[in-house]
Amino acid sequence: MDITISEACRLLEARGVLRRQPGDSSDGMVQQVRELLGGQMPADLEALYRERVKSVGDFAAILPRWNARPEWRQEGALRSLLHAQAVPIFSDGNGSLYGLDLSSESQRPAVYFFDHEDLFERPRWAAGSSIGRFLLLLAQHDQAISENRSAGWELSIDPDLDKCPRAPPIWLAG
């Protein structure tokens, strides 16, 4: 059974690693992204925006900058992965992005890592089988590196990570 985005956010907030945006402009953000994506939007993406996540640890969320006036909206970051059938949801802090798969018909699309060095051409590795699982993995990213965890540690949090269709998990990505 998967974890919902709201459940993951509550867990991470209780651990002190999730920060939220002040105020709630999620209705406008959802409207803006729906327009950008041609009217359709994954339910998990909407749920993420409605949670008002600003960051998880040192990883900043990529949120639409809502403004009621369309000519004042900033969509550059949101458009950066559309050619690869994804929408960015988090930055790694070094120019690369984590993006939600838009090519999937799944109710809970996977999250992938897109490298800035290849101009976000394609997903490099699977970062989460769903946004909820991805958030939990992201919160442990730095700790896993400092503890030198063995390859595949992510499966204890996301048992479906190696089943993501567009790219392998990081330990198989090479």
Side-chain angles (χ1 to χ4, degrees), residues 25-69:
S25 59
S26 61
D27 286 341
M29 291 189 311
V30 167
Q31 176 187 338
Q32 179 179 353
V33 174
R34 274 202 178 118
E35 290 171 8
L36 180 68
L37 299 178
Q40 297 295 329
M41 179 178 184
D44 274 4
L45 183 59
E46 181 174 341
L48 179 66
Y49 292 156
R50 296 211 182 275
E51 287 294 331
R52 302 179 0 260
V53 176
K54 181 177 183 175
S55 64
V56 172
D58 291 333
F59 298 92
I62 298 174
L63 300 171
R65 296 218 169 104
W66 169 248
N67 190 301
R69 297 182 63 170

Side-chain angles (χ1 to χ4, degrees), residues 10-155:
R10 279 195 304 273
L11 287 170
L12 298 176
E13 195 168 36
R15 290 184 11 211
V17 296
L18 182 135
R19 291 186 321 188
R20 296 182 191 267
Q21 294 280 353
D24 186 0
S25 59
S26 61
D27 286 341
M29 291 189 311
V30 167
Q31 176 187 338
Q32 179 179 353
V33 174
R34 274 202 178 118
E35 290 171 8
L36 180 68
L37 299 178
Q40 297 295 329
M41 179 178 184
D44 274 4
L45 183 59
E46 181 174 341
L48 179 66
Y49 292 156
R50 296 211 182 275
E51 287 294 331
R52 302 179 0 260
V53 176
K54 181 177 183 175
S55 64
V56 172
D58 291 333
F59 298 92
I62 298 174
L63 300 171
R65 296 218 169 104
W66 169 248
N67 190 301
R69 297 182 63 170
E71 65 272 11
W72 289 359
R73 295 180 192 165
Q74 297 177 354
E75 296 176 341
L78 291 174
R79 292 181 180 277
S80 60
L81 297 180
L82 288 180
H83 70 280
Q85 294 184 301
V87 63
I89 57 173
F90 276 85
S91 167
D92 77 341
N94 294 310
S96 296
L97 302 170
Y98 294 96
L100 183 67
D101 184 22
L102 294 176
S103 69
S104 172
E105 301 275 328
S106 171
Q107 289 223 339
R108 299 215 184 266
V111 177
Y112 294 96
F113 178 81
F114 291 83
D115 197 327
H116 72 281
E117 290 186 13
D118 67 6
L119 302 175
F120 313 118
E121 180 183 330
R122 60 180 169 72
R124 292 283 262 221
W125 45 270
S129 64
S130 68
I131 294 177
R133 297 279 180 201
F134 164 74
L135 292 171
L136 297 178
L137 288 170
L138 192 63
Q140 292 199 22
H141 181 270
D142 291 340
Q143 182 179 357
I145 291 171
S146 68
E147 292 174 355
N148 199 25
R149 291 184 192 168
S150 61
W153 68 267
E154 297 91 343
L155 289 171

